[in-house]
Amino acid sequence: MTGASEPVHSDAGTVHLRRAGTSVLLALPAHPDATGAPDGSLPAVVHWGADLGDLTNEAAAAVERATRPVVPHSALDRAFRLPLLPQPARGWTGRRVLEGRVLGGAGLPAVPLLAGAGPAEVEDGDETTAARVTFRSADAELGLEVRTELELTPEGLLRVRHTLRAGTGAGAAAGFEVAHLLSCLPLPAPATELLDLTGRWCRERAPQRQPIHQGAWVRDSWHGRTGHDATLLMVAGTPGFGFGRGEVWGVHTAWSGDHTTWVERLPTGEAVIGGGELLGPGEVRLEAGEGYTTPWVYAGWSDRGLDGLTDRFHRHLRARPQHVERPRPVVLNTWEAVYFDQDLDGLTALADAAAAIGVERFVLDDGWFLGRRDDQRGLGDWTVDPDVWPAGLTPLVEHVVGRGMEFGLWVEPEMVNQDSDLFREHPEWMLRGRETDPPPWRHQQVLDLRVPEAYAHLRDALLGLLDGHAISFLKWDMNRDLVDTGPGVHAQTQAVYRLLDELKSAHPEVEIESCSSGGARVDLAVLERTDRIWASDCIDALERQSIQRWTSLLVPLELMGAHVGGPEAHTTGRRHRLAFRAATALFGHFGIEWDLRGLSEAESTELAGWIGLYREHRSLLHTGRLHRADSPDESLWVHGVVAEDGGRALYAVVRTATSADAVPSPVRLPGLDPGRDYEVRVVGPVPAERAPRLQLSEGWTPGPLLLSGAALGTVGLVPPVLAPEDAVVLEVSAVPR
Ligand code: GLA
C-alpha cells in the first residue's frame, strides 16, 4: 500500500498515510478550513487506526469535516481539533507537552504558543519505506521553533519526535530552558481499558489493567535508566482486549533515561496517549541557535489484539539493517554457575562440559577484573586481575575458541566502586549533584561520562579489551539507579549511546547485550545499538514465563536472553524439573546459567536434548510470528511461533498453577493457516518416567494426529495432564492434503 490513490500534497488540507493495514489521516493547517480549530495552525491527527483504503483528497477532506468537534456549553467559542502539540494557550487543559523558562531577563517560566511556520513536507515513497511528514511551527514571541517529524514505518508503526530550537527570529530571548517536550496522539474513544507493565528487580514487566477514567494515568520513571518498572508498552483498547482479540493502541517511549508514558482523558471527551523524556532542572538549557531533539515515541495500532501490536514491533526490529541474522548461539553464562569463584582450571572444565553438550558461546561474567572478588570493589579497573588470571584471560579465551565456542565477557562500564584504583586516582569523575556523595547502591557510584577525560579513559579501556582478546560478545551491565546527579541524566544517557556507537563502529562484529540488574534497560533506543537484552536476573522458570510473555510484547525472541538455571532457582528457592526450565528458555535466545560440572549423566543427556531441539527450531523461533492464546483457564498458558509461510510452528503449553478443572479443556493453537492440515506431536527430550503423562489425549496415542489449522485455532486439543509449574512443547507441521 503506497498511500492515497491521488498524490498527497501538503496544500490539500489532509495527508493520508497508509502502511501495513494502518491509516493515519492528518489535517494540515495550510488549507484555510481544514483544521476546524481556532488557532488553525498546527497539524492534527484525524484518524490513526484501521486502513481507510484509497481515498481521494476530497474523500479524505470529507472524513476530516465529518469528525470536526462541536462547541459544547460553557466553553471557548470555537471548537478545537486536538493538534499534535496540544496548546494550553488555545484551551488544552490536559497535561502540558511543552513548557520551559526563558533564559536571560527575568527568566520567566513560559508555556509556548506555536503556530505553523511553513508548509508540511510529505514524503510518501512506497510500502518498503516509511511515509514521512515534517512540519515546522514557531513561537515568534519567544523565538522558538519546533520541527515535528512523524513517520509511518513499513510495518505500520507510527513514530513521532520533535526538535526545539531556541533563539530563532528577531527579538528572540537569549535562550530557553526546556522543562519538557513530550509527544502524544489522540486516543480514539473506543479505547476504554488500559494495560501497562510495571515491576521490580526479578519481577520485570508485570501487567496491570484498569478502566480508563477521566484523569491521567502517568507512568513517570525517574531511575536515570529505563527502569525495572518501565512499562515497555502502554496499551489502550476496546473492552476485554486480549492477545488475539480487540482493537488496541499502544505507545513506547524509546529512551534509556528518565521518561514518561501516559494516557489522559478529559471531561471534554478528548483523550491522548503519549510519552517522552523527563528532564530535570537545568538539564537542557538551549542557548540561541541550539536545539533539543526528543526521543522517538512509537505508536502501534491493531485490530487483532496485543499479538497484532507485537507483530508490528517484531517486524520493525527485524527490518533494521543491524538486526542480528546469524543463528543465535547457545550461551553458557558463568554467573549463577560460579559467581565470583573464578580460576582457569575450573572455568576450562566448565567450558569443556559446555562444549560437550552443544554450547556455542561461553560468557565470562562478573569477577575477572582487578580486585573484583565480590561486589564491593573493582568497578572501573577494567584490567584482568593477575591474582585470579596470572596468565591473563588469553588461555581461557583460546581454550573456549579451541572448543569451537565464541567467547563473551561481562563489563559494567558506566560504574565505579569507591574501592578501585580508578576512583582513588580520579574521585572527580564520579557523577554527583552536590558536595556530598550520592547514596551508594550495590556499593557503587556512577562515572560521569560528561567529563571528556573520563569518557576517553573508559572508551580506551574497552577498546583495549576488544583489541586484545578474541571477544565476540559483551554483556554490558548497569546496576544502579542514577540519583542525586544534578542536571546529569540527559547528558549521561546520550554519552552512553555515544560510547556504544563508538564501540560498535570500531568492532561491528562484537554483539552487545543490554543488561541492567536484569531487565532494567529494555527499550527501543538501547536496542538500536545492542543485540540482546537480559530480561531479568530471575531465571526461576515460573517467574520467567510471565516476564518473557510480557517482554516479548515488544522484544522478538531472538533478542531476549533466556537461560536454564539449576534445579533450585537462586532468586526464589523454587525447584523445577529440567523440562520446565528448558521449555521456558526455548522461547528466547537460549542459554544456560548452571554449573554443568556437577550434572548427572541423565541431566547432561536431557539438557543436550533440549539444546538440540533449540538448534533445530531456532530459525523458526527467531523469524516467525509470536502468538499467545487467550485462555479461559488462567493457569494454562499457550504461546507459539508460527513460520511466516504457515508451514511449521512450535507451541508451549504451560501449567502455571493448579487448575480448578480436573480435566483440562482443549487449548487453541492460534496463528495457523486455517486451510491447511497439520500434524501435532510432543517434542523435547522426555525421560522415560515422564513419558506416560505426556500423551496428548487418549485418541492421540501412540502417533501424531492430523487436524486442520481451523480446528486447531478454534476447537483446539486437550493437552496432557501437566503438574503445576510444568510445560510441554508441541511441534506442528503442515502436511499435504
Ligand atoms: C547483574 C546482572 C547479573 C550478573 C551480575 C554480576 O546483577 O544482572 O546477570 O551479571 O550483575 O554482578
Side-chain angles (χ1 to χ4, degrees), residues 362-606:
F362 183 91
V363 180
L364 183 64
D365 210 281
D366 195 358
W368 57 268
F369 48 97
L370 205 60
R372 187 69 167 175
R373 300 283 59 76
D374 55 35
D375 67 4
Q376 306 204 5
R377 63 204 93 245
L379 290 175
D381 297 340
W382 301 111
T383 53
V384 181
D385 192 328
D387 289 345
V388 183
W389 300 98
L393 287 182
T394 303
L396 178 67
V397 178
E398 286 180 349
H399 189 86
V400 164
V401 173
R403 287 281 182 277
M405 297 182 289
E406 298 175 7
F407 183 81
L409 192 66
W410 181 95
V411 287
E412 194 180 353
E414 299 145 70
M415 297 292 155
V416 62
N417 285 121
Q418 283 165 285
D419 187 355
S420 68
D421 288 350
L422 183 73
F423 183 81
R424 283 182 280 274
E425 273 168 48
H426 291 290
E428 77 282 8
W429 288 357
M430 185 171 111
L431 184 60
R432 56 168 77 240
R434 63 191 81 235
E435 295 274 299
T436 48
D437 292 351
W441 177 312
R442 210 190 185 205
H443 316 282
Q444 64 198 55
Q445 297 285 1
V446 183
L447 205 55
D448 189 347
L449 296 181
R450 298 170 306 172
V451 178
E453 296 77 16
Y455 179 94
H457 169 87
L458 185 58
R459 180 198 53 212
D460 295 346
L462 293 168
L463 286 175
L465 282 170
L466 295 179
D467 293 339
H469 302 90
I471 294 171
S472 309
F473 173 80
L474 279 182
K475 176 177 173 184
W476 183 297
D477 212 337
M478 192 281 200
N479 279 318
R480 67 159 293 165
D481 280 4
L482 272 50
V483 302
D484 204 11
T485 59
V489 172
H490 172 74
Q492 180 79 3
T493 309
Q494 284 183 321
V496 173
Y497 291 160
R498 199 163 72 244
L499 187 57
L500 283 163
D501 291 343
E502 275 202 65
L503 291 179
K504 273 281 186 186
S505 91
H507 285 275
E509 76 289 357
V510 176
E511 291 180 14
I512 301 181
E513 173 174 52
S514 172
C515 172
S516 183
S517 326
R521 191 146 70 187
V522 180
D523 62 75
L524 287 180
V526 85
L527 272 172
E528 277 299 304
R529 23 188 77 85
T530 53
D531 309 286
R532 186 188 207 247
I533 57 96
W534 184 227
S536 178
D537 275 351
C538 183
I539 53 175
D540 170 325
L542 181 64
E543 300 290 331
R544 268 294 179 135
Q545 282 291 336
S546 175
I547 292 167
Q548 293 175 195
R549 190 176 186 78
W550 294 103
T551 301
S552 63
L553 201 53
L554 187 139
V555 180
L557 304 191
E558 65 273 24
L559 301 182
M560 180 172 67
H563 293 174
V564 177
E568 182 174 310
H570 294 193
T571 54
T572 61
R574 280 203 194 99
R575 294 187 71 83
H576 289 127
R577 58 177 60 84
L578 180 51
F580 186 44
R581 281 135 61 206
T584 302
L586 187 65
F587 286 81
H589 176 187
F590 188 94
I592 301 159
E593 222 165 302
W594 183 15
D595 189 351
L596 300 177
R597 294 168 301 183
L599 261 55
S600 68
E601 182 92 26
E603 283 174 322
S604 266
T605 308
E606 192 184 342

Side-chain angles (χ1 to χ4, degrees), residues 14-193:
T14 55
V15 171
H16 182 204
L17 309 174
R18 301 170 73 196
R19 290 290 184 275
T22 294
S23 271
V24 175
L25 183 64
L26 287 174
L28 296 178
H31 194 278
D33 34 61
T35 66
D39 56 337
S41 60
L42 291 181
V45 173
V46 174
H47 168 79
W48 159 41
D51 187 6
L52 297 178
D54 278 353
L55 291 182
T56 61
N57 286 332
E58 291 69 34
V63 175
E64 188 282 312
R65 276 199 305 277
T67 55
R68 284 185 193 172
V70 293
V71 181
H73 290 295
S74 186
L76 292 173
D77 290 340
R78 267 187 78 183
F80 284 93
R81 181 189 288 286
L82 193 70
L84 261 166
L85 285 151
Q87 308 233 64
R90 288 293 176 269
W92 171 248
T93 57
R95 189 178 196 195
R96 292 174 176 186
V97 297
L98 171 56
E99 279 185 317
R101 193 169 64 82
V102 173
L103 298 180
L108 292 177
V111 182
L113 171 60
L114 298 165
E121 296 156 32
V122 181
E123 294 165 57
D124 199 7
D126 62 32
E127 73 270 12
T128 64
T129 59
R132 204 167 276 123
V133 177
T134 310
F135 66 89
R136 289 171 197 283
S137 53
D139 182 322
E141 271 183 55
L142 296 177
L144 299 176
E145 195 176 283
V146 176
R147 179 171 186 265
T148 297
E149 296 161 85
L150 191 140
E151 289 184 6
L152 187 61
T153 72
E155 305 80 28
L157 284 180
L158 183 62
R159 59 177 198 173
V160 186
R161 70 176 179 189
H162 308 284
T163 300
L164 174 72
R165 206 157 283 287
T168 57
F176 191 74
E177 180 180 324
V178 187
H180 53 256
L181 174 49
L182 309 173
S183 303
C184 65
L185 293 163
L187 182 64
T192 56
E193 277 185 24

